Amino acid sequence: MKLAVLTSGGDSAGMNAVVRAVVKTAIAKGCEAWVVREGYEGLVRGNAHETQEVKDARASKDEAGFVHNLRFGDGELLKDGTGDFISGRTMRGRYIVRVGWDDVRGWFGEGGTLIGTARSVTFRTTEGRQTAAHNMIKEGIDALVVCGGDGSLTGADVFRSEWPKHVEALRSQDKITEEQAKAHQHLRIVGLVGSIDNDMAMTDMTIGAPTALHRICEAIDNINSTAYSHSRAFVLEVMGRHCGWLALMAGVSSGADFIFIPENPPEADNWEDRMCSAIQSHREIGQRKTIVIVAEGALDSALKPICADHVKDVLANRLGLDTRVTTLGHTQRGGVPCAYDRIMPTLQGIEAVEALLESTPETPSYMIGVRENKIHRVPLMEAVAKTREVATAIAAKDFARAMSLRDPEFAEALEGFYTTSVFEKEPKLPHHLRMRVGIMHVGAPAGGMNAATRTAVRYCLRQGHKPFAIHNGFLGLLDDNVHQLSWLGVDTWMTRGGSELGTNRKLPDIDMGAVAAKFQQYNFHALLMIGGFEAFNALLLLDNARPHYPAFQIPMVHLPATISNNVPVTEFSLGSDTSLNALVSACDALKQSASASRNRVFVVETQGGKCGYIATMGALATGAVIVYTPERGIDLDMLRRDVKFLKRRYNLDQKGKAEGRLVLRNECSSDVYTTDFIKKMFREEGGSLFDSRAAQLGHTLQGGIPSPMDRTRAVRLSLKSMAFMEKHHQELLRQSPRARQASYESAAVITIQGSTVKWVPVQEMVAHADMQNRRGKDAPWEKYQDLVEQLVARPQLLQRDVPTV
């Protein structure tokens, strides 16, 4: 199969990761890989000419096999985005370009799309599509991967449906031979959604949306400081014509005061009053800054657009606030892709090639999406049709339907935003249902801990509960380091990394009786513990002690928060995404240094305890060539194979253009084969081929501003935790005060399984936990270690008798 990939429509971070994954997977599967420059427009233009050098290079690479598909010499031309080499190679007049394995090296760390994109008017015509078909057939291409928005994917499906007609017309005009017509009777097509708006139905996340959210939150985080300094109001306009996902998630993760999104418009006749009332209530209790976020497609219930300048005038004229407008514009599209926008597009690109290989004339065109954090295929046109239903529903003022067409998490996020942003003067619950809630951080600090605490506090005050901060974990509780938290006191916690409450690894069994006495002293009705494996252990100990200490007969929840992501059952812990992004940033800088030195290998040590999640997913996100984890360990035979692999890989590099490479090692992978040992071994064995250096990232992976994903997850999980504790507290109130027994389910861990949040009683968690190694028994991410090796051609290079080039 000859396979081509193009990017169409708007650009978004992660598109390069798709191209890289498609090209490498295609070559690994024995296919020819091509890229189409400038989207559908490039497909129509085709190749006007090729230099003799290019023709000679292609002719000499016609043999199958990895080494013969290593490079075709256009990698640097494509990556630089222009033009001409001194040797005479050029991209001018060439839009359908065959590429090799090394031609796409280092791409996924770049923003935008290196092969270019364009909105083609010509391709929308039948004649234009016929020309595109002719250009593909001339090159022998019979499969196409399209990464773009709904319009681009619709165009792809139309192209496929018309393909037999185009082939017949081209044959009747003698533009192609009978053999070519027979060989190209069927066009295989698959689509991937590249859109920063996250506006495609039947997928939880589109390529580029997470990075765009990063850019928005970075801007808001920077604006917050000047807004606070001057006691100003800022109105930010973000992208989103028919979808308010960016505005909503930015509002949730930045602690904004008010948002406007197209799916849930305010009433036309009173939205100004509502906004002013909400913001005025914040100002009255002492808040010094105001942030309002407006989606570009925002409108009121009468479908009248709501623009940022009008919102600014309302705030300035009615509340007297010094107000500024910031339109983020195309800055949201740019920048280096975040970790998520490297990992998921890579997995989607791999699945796209698999779908093409399995395609038949009877199968529909598929879209590769993400559902419940797993890659899946859906009929392309079904997804496009459902996507367009949202705009239709909004135009018909059927806003309830527009909301229902979004995924359930969208509605939860909107409810969460209002829960945490609206200051209620009167509590919602009657006095007898109100609780005294203890909030504690246990274990090591992780991004999102403070956001979860802020959310819990805001929810408590809204309902009428009293939230108590327990500083420094169980030691702080025994030292009476406890105080009540306020609405304004946690206002700025959303963007703070680390742990504002302080945390340590001490468990309640340091003095269980004293801990129970403190629970009784403060009359806690519920306990929320935010932390990692230690918090899970602490909950287990408290639950086991319930028969002996009545003070523990209360709802108790563990909200997983640890960069190691080592809590059993749950797929994600707060802080793991922040840590991955910190790792990606550090490795990008290290790879620059390694590449500048041409032939250097960096052995990078990561945190993670005895769980290899950060190392494995970090390797997938950074393009590391080797990853060492505690689950697989390290032995001498493994190191021998690794040295053999590196030597063969460097022998295949072009002279003077060797690539800097990364090796990721979890800190607990081996007690014998340390990071320093591996560095010295690589340096010794590399000889004149490559040098080696080591970098230990240490606690830098725990720090920094929490990622938007960790912030939004923190809000979602914290609100569900509070609702869970309310429910079980009310069940306890129905029992006799002298004999209250908390149910088995009331001591539980909140887990993410796919896109679903599930409660697992702590006693059930034990069966899934490796208590000795402090991690889960099942690691669904472990399979990606094999994928890391496949994406660097390790299986091919460790075959016998691999020639050099």
Side-chain angles (χ1 to χ4, degrees), residues 57-112:
R58 286 178 56 187
S60 67
K61 301 285 185 172
D62 282 341
E63 298 178 62
F66 171 74
V67 172
H68 294 288
N69 282 278
L70 193 60
R71 68 183 70 90
F72 292 91
D74 293 317
E76 293 183 43
L77 286 173
L78 290 164
K79 194 170 183 179
D80 289 342
T82 51
D84 305 341
F85 274 5
I86 296 174
S87 65
R89 293 185 72 90
T90 180
M91 281 286 135
R92 286 180 293 177
R94 296 173 58 214
Y95 292 92
I96 306 176
V97 182
R98 188 175 179 187
V99 289
W101 189 277
D102 280 357
D103 289 327
V104 294
R105 64 163 46 163
W107 278 30
F108 67 160
E110 302 282 344

Coordinates of all heavy atoms in Angstrom, one line a residue, residues 57-112:
A57 N 17.3 9.8 -6.2 CA 17.2 9.4 -4.8 C 16.0 8.4 -4.6 O 16.1 7.4 -4.0 CB 17.0 10.6 -3.9
R58 N 14.9 8.7 -5.3 CA 13.7 7.8 -5.2 C 14.0 6.5 -5.9 O 13.6 5.4 -5.4 CB 12.5 8.5 -5.8 CG 11.9 9.6 -5.0 CD 10.7 10.3 -5.7 NE 9.7 9.3 -6.1 CZ 8.7 9.6 -6.8 NH1 8.5 10.8 -7.3 NH2 7.8 8.6 -7.1
A59 N 14.7 6.5 -7.0 CA 14.9 5.3 -7.8 C 15.8 4.4 -7.0 O 15.7 3.2 -7.0 CB 15.6 5.6 -9.1
S60 N 16.8 5.0 -6.2 CA 17.7 4.1 -5.5 C 17.1 3.6 -4.2 O 17.7 2.8 -3.5 CB 19.0 5.0 -5.1 OG 18.6 6.0 -4.2
K61 N 15.9 4.0 -3.9 CA 15.3 3.6 -2.6 C 14.0 2.7 -2.9 O 13.2 2.6 -2.0 CB 14.8 4.8 -1.8 CG 16.0 5.8 -1.4 CD 16.9 5.2 -0.3 CE 17.9 6.3 0.1 NZ 18.7 5.9 1.2
D62 N 13.9 2.2 -4.0 CA 12.7 1.4 -4.3 C 12.7 0.1 -3.6 O 11.6 -0.5 -3.6 CB 12.6 1.2 -5.9 CG 12.1 2.5 -6.5 OD1 11.5 3.3 -5.8 OD2 12.3 2.6 -7.8
E63 N 13.8 -0.3 -3.1 CA 13.8 -1.6 -2.4 C 13.0 -1.5 -1.1 O 12.9 -0.5 -0.5 CB 15.2 -2.1 -2.1 CG 16.0 -2.3 -3.3 CD 17.5 -2.7 -2.9 OE1 17.6 -3.7 -2.3 OE2 18.4 -1.9 -3.3
A64 N 12.4 -2.6 -0.7 CA 11.7 -2.7 0.6 C 12.6 -2.8 1.7 O 13.8 -3.1 1.6 CB 10.7 -3.8 0.6
G65 N 12.1 -2.6 2.9 CA 12.9 -2.8 4.1 C 13.1 -1.5 4.8 O 13.1 -0.4 4.2
F66 N 13.4 -1.5 6.1 CA 13.6 -0.3 6.9 C 14.7 0.6 6.4 O 14.5 1.8 6.2 CB 13.8 -0.7 8.4 CG 14.2 0.4 9.2 CD1 13.2 1.3 9.6 CD2 15.5 0.6 9.6 CE1 13.6 2.4 10.4 CE2 15.8 1.7 10.4 CZ 14.9 2.6 10.8
V67 N 15.9 0.0 6.2 CA 17.0 0.9 5.8 C 16.8 1.6 4.5 O 17.1 2.8 4.4 CB 18.3 0.0 5.8 CG1 19.5 0.8 5.3 CG2 18.6 -0.5 7.2
H68 N 16.2 0.9 3.6 CA 15.9 1.6 2.3 C 14.8 2.6 2.3 O 14.6 3.3 1.4 CB 15.6 0.5 1.2 CG 16.7 -0.4 1.0 ND1 17.9 -0.1 0.3 CD2 17.0 -1.7 1.4 CE1 18.7 -1.1 0.2 NE2 18.2 -2.1 0.9
N69 N 14.1 2.6 3.4 CA 13.1 3.7 3.6 C 13.5 4.6 4.8 O 12.6 5.3 5.4 CB 11.7 3.0 4.0 CG 11.0 2.5 2.8 OD1 10.4 3.2 2.0 ND2 11.2 1.2 2.5
L70 N 14.8 4.7 5.0 CA 15.2 5.5 6.1 C 15.1 7.0 5.8 O 14.6 7.8 6.7 CB 16.7 5.2 6.4 CG 17.3 5.7 7.7 CD1 16.5 5.2 8.9 CD2 18.7 5.3 7.9
R71 N 15.5 7.5 4.7 CA 15.4 8.9 4.3 C 15.4 9.1 2.8 O 16.0 8.3 2.1 CB 16.5 9.7 5.0 CG 17.9 9.5 4.5 CD 18.9 10.3 5.2 NE 19.1 9.8 6.6 CZ 20.0 8.8 6.9 NH1 20.7 8.3 6.0 NH2 20.1 8.4 8.1
F72 N 14.7 10.1 2.4 CA 14.7 10.5 1.0 C 15.3 11.9 0.8 O 15.2 12.4 -0.3 CB 13.3 10.4 0.4 CG 12.8 8.9 0.3 CD1 12.1 8.4 1.4 CD2 13.2 8.1 -0.8 CE1 11.7 7.1 1.3 CE2 12.7 6.8 -0.8 CZ 12.0 6.3 0.2
G73 N 15.8 12.5 1.8 CA 16.5 13.7 1.7 C 15.7 15.0 1.8 O 16.3 16.1 1.7
D74 N 14.4 14.9 2.1 CA 13.6 16.1 2.1 C 13.2 16.5 3.5 O 12.4 17.4 3.7 CB 12.3 15.9 1.3 CG 12.6 15.7 -0.2 OD1 13.4 16.5 -0.7 OD2 12.0 14.8 -0.9
G75 N 13.7 15.7 4.5 CA 13.3 16.0 5.9 C 13.6 17.4 6.3 O 12.7 18.1 6.9
E76 N 14.8 17.9 6.1 CA 15.1 19.2 6.5 C 14.4 20.3 5.7 O 14.0 21.3 6.3 CB 16.6 19.4 6.4 CG 17.4 18.6 7.4 CD 18.9 18.8 7.3 OE1 19.3 20.0 7.2 OE2 19.7 17.8 7.3
L77 N 14.1 20.0 4.4 CA 13.4 21.0 3.6 C 12.0 21.1 4.2 O 11.4 22.2 4.3 CB 13.3 20.5 2.2 CG 14.6 20.6 1.3 CD1 14.4 20.0 0.0 CD2 14.9 22.1 1.1
L78 N 11.3 20.0 4.5 CA 10.0 20.0 5.1 C 10.0 20.7 6.4 O 9.1 21.5 6.7 CB 9.5 18.6 5.2 CG 9.1 17.9 3.9 CD1 9.0 16.4 4.1 CD2 7.9 18.5 3.2
K79 N 10.9 20.4 7.3 CA 10.9 21.0 8.6 C 11.2 22.4 8.6 O 10.6 23.2 9.4 CB 12.0 20.2 9.5 CG 11.8 20.5 11.0 CD 12.7 19.6 11.8 CE 12.4 19.9 13.3 NZ 13.3 19.0 14.2
D80 N 12.1 22.9 7.7 CA 12.3 24.3 7.6 C 11.2 25.1 7.0 O 11.1 26.3 7.1 CB 13.6 24.6 6.8 CG 14.9 24.1 7.6 OD1 14.7 24.0 8.8 OD2 15.9 23.9 6.9
G81 N 10.4 24.4 6.3 CA 9.1 25.0 5.7 C 9.3 25.7 4.4 O 8.4 26.3 3.9
T82 N 10.5 25.8 3.9 CA 10.7 26.5 2.6 C 11.4 25.6 1.6 O 10.9 24.6 1.1 CB 11.5 27.8 2.9 OG1 12.7 27.4 3.6 CG2 10.7 28.8 3.6
G83 N 12.3 25.8 1.5 CA 12.9 26.0 0.2 C 14.0 25.2 -0.3 O 13.9 24.1 -0.6
D84 N 15.1 25.8 -0.5 CA 16.1 25.3 -1.4 C 17.4 25.0 -0.6 O 17.8 25.8 0.3 CB 16.5 26.3 -2.5 CG 15.2 26.7 -3.2 OD1 14.3 26.0 -3.2 OD2 15.3 27.7 -3.9
F85 N 18.0 23.9 -0.9 CA 19.4 23.6 -0.4 C 20.4 24.0 -1.4 O 20.1 24.0 -2.6 CB 19.5 22.1 -0.1 CG 19.0 21.7 1.3 CD1 18.4 22.7 2.1 CD2 19.1 20.4 1.8 CE1 17.9 22.3 3.3 CE2 18.6 20.1 3.0 CZ 18.0 21.1 3.8
I86 N 21.6 24.2 -1.0 CA 22.7 24.5 -1.9 C 22.9 23.4 -2.9 O 23.3 23.7 -4.1 CB 24.0 24.8 -1.1 CG1 23.8 25.9 -0.1 CG2 25.2 25.0 -2.0 CD1 25.0 26.2 0.8
S87 N 22.6 22.2 -2.5 CA 22.8 21.1 -3.4 C 21.8 21.1 -4.6 O 22.0 20.4 -5.6 CB 22.5 19.7 -2.7 OG 21.2 19.7 -2.2
G88 N 20.8 22.0 -4.5 CA 19.8 22.0 -5.6 C 18.5 21.4 -5.3 O 17.6 21.6 -6.1
R89 N 18.4 20.7 -4.2 CA 17.1 20.1 -3.8 C 16.1 21.3 -3.5 O 16.5 22.2 -2.9 CB 17.2 19.2 -2.6 CG 18.0 17.9 -2.9 CD 18.0 17.0 -1.8 NE 16.7 16.4 -1.6 CZ 16.4 15.2 -2.1 NH1 17.2 14.6 -2.9 NH2 15.2 14.7 -1.9
T90 N 14.9 21.1 -3.9 CA 13.9 22.1 -3.6 C 12.5 21.5 -3.4 O 12.3 20.4 -3.8 CB 13.9 23.1 -4.8 OG1 12.9 24.1 -4.6 CG2 13.5 22.4 -6.1
M91 N 11.7 22.3 -2.8 CA 10.3 21.9 -2.6 C 9.4 22.6 -3.6 O 8.2 22.3 -3.7 CB 9.8 22.3 -1.2 CG 10.2 21.3 -0.1 SD 9.3 19.8 -0.2 CE 10.6 18.6 0.0
R92 N 10.0 23.5 -4.4 CA 9.1 24.3 -5.3 C 8.6 23.3 -6.4 O 9.3 22.6 -7.0 CB 10.0 25.4 -6.0 CG 10.2 26.5 -5.0 CD 11.0 27.6 -5.7 NE 12.4 27.2 -6.0 CZ 13.3 27.9 -6.6 NH1 13.0 29.1 -7.0 NH2 14.5 27.4 -6.8
G93 N 7.3 23.4 -6.6 CA 6.6 22.6 -7.6 C 6.4 21.1 -7.1 O 5.9 20.3 -7.9
R94 N 6.7 20.8 -5.9 CA 6.5 19.4 -5.4 C 5.6 19.5 -4.2 O 5.9 20.1 -3.1 CB 7.9 18.8 -5.0 CG 8.9 18.7 -6.1 CD 10.2 18.3 -5.6 NE 10.1 17.0 -4.8 CZ 10.9 16.7 -3.8 NH1 11.7 17.6 -3.3 NH2 10.8 15.6 -3.2
Y95 N 4.5 18.9 -4.3 CA 3.5 18.9 -3.3 C 3.1 17.5 -2.7 O 2.6 17.4 -1.6 CB 2.2 19.6 -3.7 CG 2.4 21.1 -4.0 CD1 2.7 21.5 -5.3 CD2 2.3 22.0 -2.9 CE1 2.9 22.9 -5.5 CE2 2.5 23.3 -3.2 CZ 2.8 23.8 -4.4 OH 3.0 25.1 -4.6
I96 N 3.4 16.5 -3.5 CA 3.2 15.1 -3.0 C 4.6 14.5 -2.9 O 5.2 14.2 -3.9 CB 2.3 14.3 -4.0 CG1 1.0 15.1 -4.2 CG2 2.0 13.0 -3.4 CD1 0.1 14.5 -5.2
V97 N 5.1 14.3 -1.7 CA 6.5 14.0 -1.4 C 6.6 12.7 -0.7 O 6.0 12.5 0.4 CB 7.1 15.2 -0.6 CG1 8.6 14.9 -0.4 CG2 6.9 16.5 -1.3
R98 N 7.4 11.8 -1.2 CA 7.7 10.6 -0.5 C 8.7 10.9 0.6 O 9.6 11.6 0.5 CB 8.3 9.5 -1.4 CG 8.3 8.1 -0.7 CD 8.8 7.0 -1.6 NE 8.9 5.8 -0.9 CZ 9.3 4.6 -1.4 NH1 9.8 4.6 -2.6 NH2 9.4 3.5 -0.6
V99 N 8.4 10.3 1.8 CA 9.3 10.5 3.0 C 9.7 9.2 3.6 O 9.0 8.2 3.5 CB 8.5 11.4 4.0 CG1 8.4 12.8 3.6 CG2 7.2 10.8 4.4
G100 N 10.8 9.3 4.2 CA 11.4 8.1 5.0 C 11.3 8.3 6.5 O 10.8 9.3 7.0
W101 N 11.8 7.3 7.2 CA 11.7 7.3 8.6 C 12.3 8.5 9.3 O 11.7 9.2 10.1 CB 12.4 6.0 9.1 CG 12.3 5.7 10.6 CD1 13.0 6.2 11.6 CD2 11.3 4.8 11.1 NE1 12.6 5.7 12.8 CE2 11.5 4.8 12.5 CE3 10.3 4.0 10.6 CZ2 10.8 4.1 13.4 CZ3 9.6 3.2 11.5 CH2 9.8 3.3 12.9
D102 N 13.5 8.9 8.8 CA 14.3 10.0 9.4 C 13.8 11.4 8.9 O 14.1 12.4 9.5 CB 15.8 9.9 9.2 CG 16.4 8.9 10.2 OD1 15.7 8.4 11.0 OD2 17.6 8.7 10.0
D103 N 13.0 11.4 7.8 CA 12.5 12.6 7.3 C 11.5 13.3 8.2 O 11.3 14.5 8.1 CB 11.9 12.4 5.9 CG 12.9 12.1 4.9 OD1 14.0 12.6 4.9 OD2 12.6 11.3 4.0
V104 N 11.0 12.6 9.2 CA 10.0 13.2 10.1 C 10.6 13.2 11.5 O 9.8 13.3 12.5 CB 8.6 12.4 10.1 CG1 8.0 12.7 8.7 CG2 8.8 11.0 10.4
R105 N 11.8 13.0 11.7 CA 12.4 13.0 13.0 C 12.2 14.4 13.7 O 12.4 15.4 13.2 CB 13.9 12.7 13.0 CG 14.8 13.7 12.3 CD 16.3 13.5 12.6 NE 16.7 12.1 12.5 CZ 18.0 11.8 12.4 NH1 18.9 12.8 12.3 NH2 18.4 10.6 12.4
G106 N 11.9 14.3 15.0 CA 11.8 15.5 15.8 C 10.5 16.3 15.6 O 10.4 17.5 16.1
W107 N 9.6 15.9 14.8 CA 8.5 16.7 14.3 C 7.5 17.0 15.4 O 6.9 18.0 15.5 CB 7.7 16.0 13.2 CG 8.4 16.3 11.8 CD1 9.7 16.5 11.6 CD2 7.8 16.4 10.6 NE1 10.0 16.7 10.3 CE2 8.8 16.6 9.6 CE3 6.5 16.2 10.1 CZ2 8.5 16.7 8.2 CZ3 6.2 16.3 8.8 CH2 7.2 16.6 7.8
F108 N 7.2 16.0 16.3 CA 6.1 16.1 17.2 C 6.3 17.1 18.3 O 5.4 17.5 19.0 CB 5.6 14.8 17.7 CG 6.6 14.1 18.7 CD1 6.1 13.1 19.5 CD2 7.9 14.4 18.7 CE1 7.0 12.5 20.4 CE2 8.8 13.8 19.5 CZ 8.3 12.8 20.4
G109 N 7.5 17.7 18.4 CA 7.7 18.7 19.4 C 7.5 20.1 18.8 O 7.7 21.1 19.5
E110 N 7.1 20.2 17.5 CA 6.9 21.4 16.8 C 5.4 21.8 16.8 O 4.6 20.9 16.7 CB 7.4 21.3 15.4 CG 8.9 21.0 15.3 CD 9.8 22.1 15.5 OE1 9.3 23.3 15.5 OE2 11.0 21.9 15.8
G111 N 5.1 23.1 16.9 CA 3.7 23.5 16.8 C 3.3 23.6 15.4 O 4.1 23.5 14.4
G112 N 2.0 23.8 15.2 CA 1.4 24.0 13.8 C 1.5 22.7 13.0 O 1.5 21.6 13.6

